[in-house]
Amino acid sequence: MEEKQFSGNGVIHSFTKIRVPPDTFKEEAPYDIGIIKLDEGPMVEGHILENGKEPKIGEKVKVAFRRMYVEGDEDLIYYHYKFEML
Amino acid sequence: MRDVAVIGVGLTKFGERWSSGLKELLAEAGIAALEDANISSNDIEMLYGGTMASGRFIGQEHTAALMADQLGFKNTPAVRIENACASGGSALRQAYISVASGIHDIVVVGGVEKMTDVTSAEASTALGGAGDQEWELFQGITFPGLYALIAKRHMYEYGTTEEQLASVAVKNHENACKNQLAQFKKRISIEEVMKSKMVSDPLKLLDCSPISDGAAVAVLAPLDKARKYNDTPIKILSSSQASDTLRLAERDSLTELKATKIASQLAYKHAKLEPKDIDVVEVHDCFTIAEILAMEDLGFYKKGKAAQAIFDGETALNSKLSVNTSGGLKGCGHPVGATGVKQAAEIVWQLRGDAKDRQVKGAEIGMTHNVGGSGATAVVHIFERAD
């Protein structure tokens, strides 16, 4: 197996805005989700950060490390990659 | 391999069955099926039970033995099949295989789900388990979300419109009005679908199948023994299944379900039939976009052509091809584990000529199409009247 580093750049292949979330995302809704086609070829799903723009198919995005949600009485924070619109 | 026939089917009313638990639902459908097959519980040799998430919904696992117990089968071997929303169809296929192989003669297949005891957020989380937990559900991507991603891409590639999506729900509610067992006996208009609450753009509340309680049971026998029980056995011409990546993002295309394509191509091949030979079909319309994909991937329309055809009424009752005469998942309801068996029950009634107000004239060959998750499982069966 060979390790490969991705640039984190890609374009929106499809997107939606989730308005009825599962319990863990109650505080975050509504939020934008996209399937991102990375410049290197593979596709990956993730949150889209609008940055004041409307998501559209074909728009460029770049990966960012962000807070995903907070859980439980001890406020355990989950982090994940998201995609910022450029 | 022996020829296999369905000799009896039974169904509960689908819907918000607050006064009925899992056991009542099973008894209601099971007794109806055994009576329909004119068979005693003592004759049942094996049971396959489809349930997706009874542990999440009501804390009850071990549901196949529970089905056998509830239907009065004495020490009959029973196996649960969990294949997300395709649990029922997958259980039917296992029952078919066990009769075709000659291991068992009389086999019962049941499907059940009791979903309305939890909040919609809890139900959404439980159903989310049909997708990829680590990549999809962890990021808050719900099932309406996954099908919305499919819909947006289909709209982009083929110009599919939200009104065309809505027309699927309108047609299926129209059919459900003629089905006494359907959850929604209520006509809706395209305008009502368009104005319903947005769930995950572009899918609105009335683009989504509901949360439902219900059970369905079928009895299978070798065709050469079937007439002992039933004057109009329905022969299973083929039973096919395929899988695909659990993750939507890993597929080559978002606008087709490859598992549906592969399963249906095998089903046509084994039955020596083509799409044009099918008179009536129950497809997996968990969301309106799913019925559009199904009509394309099952070979009834070229890619990108089904949406307008549905909008134009080509798939309404007794039109070019009658699709989802039961009301489908959208109109009849979608108790996930029961759906695949309910689809078979509807086709059995259609081929016997027992579908009353929603009877497809002269129906001789029927098909069922049951999908799990966003397309990681697809099960296709083709049936023929065999009297």
Side-chain angles (χ1 to χ4, degrees):
Chain A
M1 220 155 59
E2 195 187 326
E3 203 167 298
K4 195 169 157 61
Q5 183 73 40
F6 287 87
S7 65
N9 294 312
V11 296
I12 298 174
H13 186 73
S14 192
F15 67 97
T16 184
K17 191 184 285 293
I18 294 191
R19 297 163 193 273
V20 183
D23 272 343
T24 39
F25 283 83
K26 250 187 330 216
E27 305 300 321
E28 322 294 327
Y31 46 91
D32 294 300
I33 291 289
I35 289 186
I36 308 302
K37 191 167 179 58
L38 299 169
D39 285 357
E40 292 82 359
M43 294 204 286
V44 64
E45 56 286 85
H47 283 237
I48 296 174
L49 302 167
E50 290 188 3
N51 263 346
K53 290 181 181 170
E54 285 270 303
K56 278 196 190 106
I57 290 175
E59 291 285 309
K60 286 184 180 173
V61 293
K62 183 164 184 59
V63 79
F65 192 65
R66 292 284 186 274
R67 194 174 80 163
M68 187 64 105
Y69 60 85
V70 182
E71 191 186 63
D73 297 337
E74 291 174 16
D75 291 340
L76 186 62
I77 301 172
Y78 286 85
Y79 291 92
H80 208 264
Y81 64 78
K82 294 187 178 181
F83 291 95
E84 254 178 338
M85 292 191 70
L86 296 177
Chain B
M1 290 272 282
R2 301 189 291 181
D3 285 335
V4 180
V6 183
I7 59 167
V9 290
L11 214 62
T12 65
K13 183 173 173 19
F14 282 10
E16 294 177 340
R17 299 283 307 264
W18 290 324
S19 59
S20 303
L22 196 74
K23 290 180 178 180
E24 282 85 6
L25 295 170
L26 284 168
E28 195 178 319
I31 291 166
L34 294 180
E35 282 181 0
D36 189 42
N38 288 310
I39 204 163
S40 148
S41 56
N42 295 329
D43 294 336
I44 310 301
E45 295 174 24
M46 176 78 207
L47 179 143
Y48 288 95
T51 315
M52 180 192 163
S54 52
R56 296 293 292 265
F57 286 122
I58 54 166
Q60 179 69 62
E61 309 291 12
H62 212 170
T63 47
L66 179 78
M67 279 184 203
D69 177 18
Q70 194 63 14
L71 297 180
F73 303 170
K74 293 280 181 278
N75 308 108
T76 304
V79 173
R80 171 174 167 177
I81 306 289
E82 189 279 297
N83 244 358
C85 313
S87 298
S90 302
L92 174 62
R93 184 159 189 274
Q94 291 307 308
Y96 166 83
I97 290 168
S98 79
V99 176
S101 70
I103 290 179
H104 296 296
D105 274 351
I106 311 294
V107 175
V108 160
V109 51
V112 67
E113 213 75 56
K114 175 75 196 164
M115 302 170 73
T116 65
D117 281 359
V118 299
T119 64
S120 57
E122 286 170 316
S124 178
T125 307
L127 294 169
D132 189 304
Q133 162 64 30
E134 285 181 25
W135 289 86
E136 294 172 341
L137 190 59
F138 176 75
Q139 298 198 61
I141 310 178
T142 58
F143 258 85
L146 289 168
Y147 277 92
L149 290 164
I150 293 173
K152 267 274 193 239
R153 189 69 200 181
H154 202 279
M155 292 164 81
Y156 176 80
E157 287 184 21
Y158 301 108
T160 308
T161 66
E162 293 183 37
E163 288 81 1
Q164 289 171 339
L165 294 172
S167 73
V168 173
V170 171
K171 169 185 73 72
N172 291 347
H173 272 246
E174 180 66 35
N175 289 346
C177 286
K178 299 186 173 73
N179 183 355
Q180 294 305 319
L181 300 175
Q183 182 162 0
F184 298 123
K185 291 179 53 128
K186 183 182 186 298
R187 282 185 181 82
I188 53 171
S189 64
I190 286 186
E191 199 183 17
E192 283 171 287
V193 181
M194 295 295 289
K195 282 185 176 162
S196 64
K197 187 184 159 197
M198 191 65 86
V199 174
S200 190
D201 312 42
L203 300 180
K204 302 156 200 80
L205 185 65
L206 291 177
D207 284 299
C208 307
S209 59
I211 302 291
S212 319
D213 304 326
V217 174
V219 187
L220 271 52
L223 183 62
D224 58 8
K225 295 179 184 169
R227 275 180 206 89
K228 193 175 130 193
Y229 303 99
N230 195 310
D231 292 339
T232 319
I234 303 299
K235 184 180 170 187
I236 300 178
L237 289 178
S238 56
S239 170
S240 304
Q241 185 170 342
S243 65
D244 201 350
T245 64
L246 227 62
R247 274 176 72 198
L248 188 59
E250 272 190 319
R251 310 225 180 113
D252 295 334
S253 167
L254 293 192
T255 54
E256 66 171 32
L257 298 191
K258 200 188 259 178
T260 295
K261 279 184 135 172
I262 293 168
S264 63
Q265 282 161 8
L266 283 170
Y268 290 127
K269 190 178 151 200
H270 294 156
K272 299 185 179 66
L273 293 172
E274 294 174 41
K276 66 173 172 51
D277 298 317
I278 307 294
D279 299 314
V280 54
V281 56
E282 288 282 300
V283 304
H284 197 92
D285 60 318
C286 48
F287 299 93
T288 50
I289 182 65
E291 180 160 328
I292 292 169
L293 292 191
M295 297 317 292
E296 295 167 348
D297 298 337
L298 293 168
F300 297 117
Y301 290 95
K302 285 205 170 69
K303 201 40 85 182
K305 299 293 181 197
Q308 185 62 37
I310 296 167
F311 187 84
D312 290 342
E314 287 186 17
T315 62
L317 183 62
N318 282 313
S319 301
K320 203 169 158 193
L321 172 66
S322 299
V323 180
N324 280 335
T325 55
S326 70
L329 284 55
K330 176 69 199 83
C332 188
H334 183 29
V336 286
T339 284
V341 184
K342 172 226 117 184
Q343 293 177 322
E346 174 69 10
I347 294 301
V348 164
W349 286 325
Q350 286 287 354
L351 299 184
R352 284 181 188 165
D354 285 345
K356 298 182 184 138
D357 293 348
R358 59 184 195 282
Q359 180 63 47
V360 175
K361 292 186 194 92
E364 287 183 359
I365 300 193
M367 174 187 261
T368 59
H369 164 251
N370 192 197
V371 172
S374 64
T377 295
V379 191
V380 174
H381 286 89
I382 301 179
F383 303 82
E384 180 186 44
R385 190 182 161 111
D387 53 349

